[in-house]
Amino acid sequence: RPEVKAWIDRVASMAERRNDLIHGLYVHKGGKAFILSFAGGHRLIGNPKRETTRDLSLVNAEIQHLRSESEHLAELFDTSRRTGD
């Protein structure tokens, strides 16, 4: 179902974002925080991403929203079985 695929894509995106935050290397430049992310093969991505408290708040809000939505996934599957989608 398209709704499930869209939800899975959003979860995968947030998982990548979370991994950057948890496993990235935090650096400061000019009084601002940046994160150097790891790529495949244990390589650092050379273009640091600036993070603000607002960015982190938005990530947290999206993760919490996805978590809340996950409780309703069973309903999508139950609906598809009833309608034959």
Side-chain angles (χ1 to χ4, degrees):
R1 301 210 28 165
E3 298 94 342
V4 174
K5 176 162 180 2
W7 184 84
I8 289 171
D9 290 346
R10 288 173 50 214
V11 168
S13 174
M14 279 295 106
E16 286 295 322
R17 191 82 165 85
R18 177 233 173 247
N19 287 342
D20 286 347
L21 294 171
I22 298 298
H23 302 293
L25 176 64
Y26 286 76
V27 296
H28 287 88
K29 182 179 179 183
K32 297 176 181 157
F34 291 84
I35 296 179
L36 293 172
S37 299
F38 289 92
H42 307 292
R43 296 181 315 266
L44 280 173
I45 295 173
N47 189 13
K49 180 174 184 336
R50 179 163 183 238
E51 296 291 348
T52 65
T53 54
R54 182 176 187 279
D55 295 331
L56 299 177
S57 293
L58 291 172
V59 168
N60 181 52
E62 178 67 4
I63 289 171
Q64 295 305 319
H65 182 71
L66 289 168
R67 183 174 173 223
S68 174
E69 284 183 338
S70 70
E71 297 171 4
H72 303 288
L73 281 180
E75 295 169 13
L76 288 174
F77 289 106
D78 288 342
T79 300
S80 69
R81 275 189 241 139
R82 282 192 301 252
T83 62
D85 290 344

